[in-house]
Amino acid sequence: MAGASLLALIDDIVTVLDDVAAMTKVAAGKTSGVLGDDLALNAEQVAGVRAARELPVVWAVAKGSFRNKLILLPMALLLSSFLPWTVMPLLMVGGLFLCFEGAEKILHHGDEADDQVAHEAAAMLASPDNEQALLELEKEKIQGAIRTDFVLSAEIMIITLGTVATAPFMTRLSVMSLIAVLMTVGVYGIVAAIVKLDDIGLYLQRQSGKQRDLRYFIGTALLKFAPLLMRFLAVAGTIAMFTVGGGILGHGIPPVHHLTESAAEWVTQFAHNPVFGMITGVLADALTGVVAGVFAVLLLNLFQRIKPGSH
């Protein structure tokens, strides 16, 4: 009897672990849009810091990210346990925010205020004697990155919660904890590698001396690749925000969900290939995200113009 009970317990544990692994995989896929944007935003935040201070700044922001998730995780679990009906509205708000942020990045790209901030930061870095000003700049960047991370971490927690909302408590806790750790370690590990690419390239160039050997060509390639990677992350992150955010909104609005499914099924039957149907579904989600994001930006701008004291 004891042996049978032990085998049953082991079987239950394996089943729970399988459920956790499967749900973690699904949640990781759904949070990919936030992950891409998180990478781009944090890499951009650290890009203006002195080379010698880049990794300490990344570490400081990573610690802030862990603190953010330690606050958000119990809040999300409490909501799912005592106010489960709030999960879907929060998920919809999170999806709309993703679309809004993507649209705002496109519509307000290259604003004069952003250019001015970048110019001032570049001028400050060009005068390394001003140590106090550099430390203040670094502190502001860390605080700004942690604030941004709080919003993105909330998105990750809400999206993950939407995936495991009906699962048992321990499964919810395990999946959300795993996602929190994996996303934080993954994001800031990759950010640390990205911000040091140009330094690695410069180091290889210097090691080659005057010889045009393999180290020189690899170093040159890395120096050219680093800014291209930053641009790619920014674009891919924005597209993913529309796709993930639009998908969340589409699934929460029955007519939109039905229209998307119908379009995907029609394309699959017409092309005799399910891949084209999947692409159609993704494009429909992205279109939903773009429309929702632009509408949210226009609505906010209208509100800011008509609210008292705006003139």
Side-chain angles (χ1 to χ4, degrees):
M1 290 294 292
S5 298
L6 179 61
L7 288 174
L9 176 61
I10 292 172
D11 184 61
D12 289 343
I13 292 172
V14 170
T15 301
V16 171
L17 290 176
D18 284 342
D19 290 343
V20 169
M23 289 186 177
T24 302
K25 184 178 179 180
V26 173
K30 289 187 176 182
T31 55
S32 61
V34 187
L35 177 64
D37 193 57
D38 210 350
L39 278 173
L41 286 174
N42 281 289
E44 287 172 354
Q45 288 273 20
V46 179
V49 178
R50 290 170 292 175
R53 294 291 302 160
E54 285 173 342
L55 292 183
V57 168
V58 172
W59 174 237
V61 179
K63 288 191 291 185
S65 178
F66 273 117
R67 287 195 297 270
N68 287 339
K69 291 178 177 67
L70 282 174
I71 295 169
L72 291 164
L73 179 58
M75 288 175 61
L77 289 171
L78 285 171
L79 282 176
S80 64
S81 297
F82 298 104
L83 297 170
W85 58 269
T86 62
V87 174
M88 181 53 71
L90 285 173
L91 197 58
M92 294 288 284
V93 170
L96 182 60
F97 181 80
L98 278 177
C99 299
F100 164 79
E101 197 174 32
E104 191 175 42
K105 283 172 67 176
I106 293 174
L107 295 175
H108 296 166
H109 179 69
D111 278 358
E112 291 182 6
D114 295 334
D115 293 340
Q116 180 66 22
V117 170
H119 178 73
E120 289 176 359
M124 198 176 293
L125 288 172
S127 304
D129 294 335
N130 194 352
E131 185 67 22
Q132 187 59 37
L134 287 170
L135 289 174
E136 287 296 323
L137 174 65
E138 183 179 301
K139 185 177 178 181
E140 287 177 11
K141 280 184 170 291
I142 291 171
Q143 291 175 345
I146 292 174
R147 284 195 300 268
T148 301
D149 178 271
F150 187 88
V151 176
L152 294 172
S153 293
E155 293 295 313
I156 289 170
M157 290 293 98
I158 291 170
I159 293 170
T160 305
L161 183 60
T163 304
V164 298
T166 57
F169 177 80
M170 287 307 299
T171 302
R172 272 179 283 152
L173 176 61
S174 301
V175 171
M176 295 184 72
S177 299
L178 273 173
I179 288 292
V181 172
L182 289 173
M183 288 295 178
T184 305
V185 172
V187 165
Y188 292 99
I190 296 173
V191 167
I194 290 172
V195 298
K196 300 308 289 183
L197 275 180
D198 52 353
D199 291 339
I200 295 170
L202 190 60
Y203 172 79
L204 290 173
Q205 277 192 341
R206 288 174 177 172
Q207 286 294 306
S208 66
K210 296 181 179 179
Q211 300 175 1
R212 296 293 181 95
D213 56 10
L214 182 61
R215 289 175 298 179
Y216 175 83
F217 289 110
I218 292 176
T220 303
L222 285 175
L223 286 172
K224 292 181 179 179
F225 175 69
L228 293 176
L229 178 61
M230 287 291 296
R231 289 182 199 138
F232 170 77
L233 282 174
V235 172
T238 303
I239 293 172
M241 289 169 76
F242 285 130
T243 304
V244 174
I248 292 171
L249 293 175
H251 280 81
I253 304 173
V256 176
H257 181 58
H258 178 70
L259 185 61
T260 300
E261 281 195 332
S262 299
E265 289 176 6
W266 184 86
V267 171
T268 299
Q269 293 174 0
F270 180 79
H272 302 289
N273 192 329
V275 174
F276 290 100
M278 290 175 59
I279 294 172
T280 302
V282 171
L283 290 175
D285 288 342
L287 180 61
T288 302
V290 170
V291 172
V294 171
F295 178 76
V297 170
L298 293 176
L299 197 63
L300 180 64
N301 289 342
L302 179 63
F303 172 75
Q304 288 176 337
R305 287 185 180 184
I306 63 175
K307 71 177 181 179
S310 60
H311 300 288

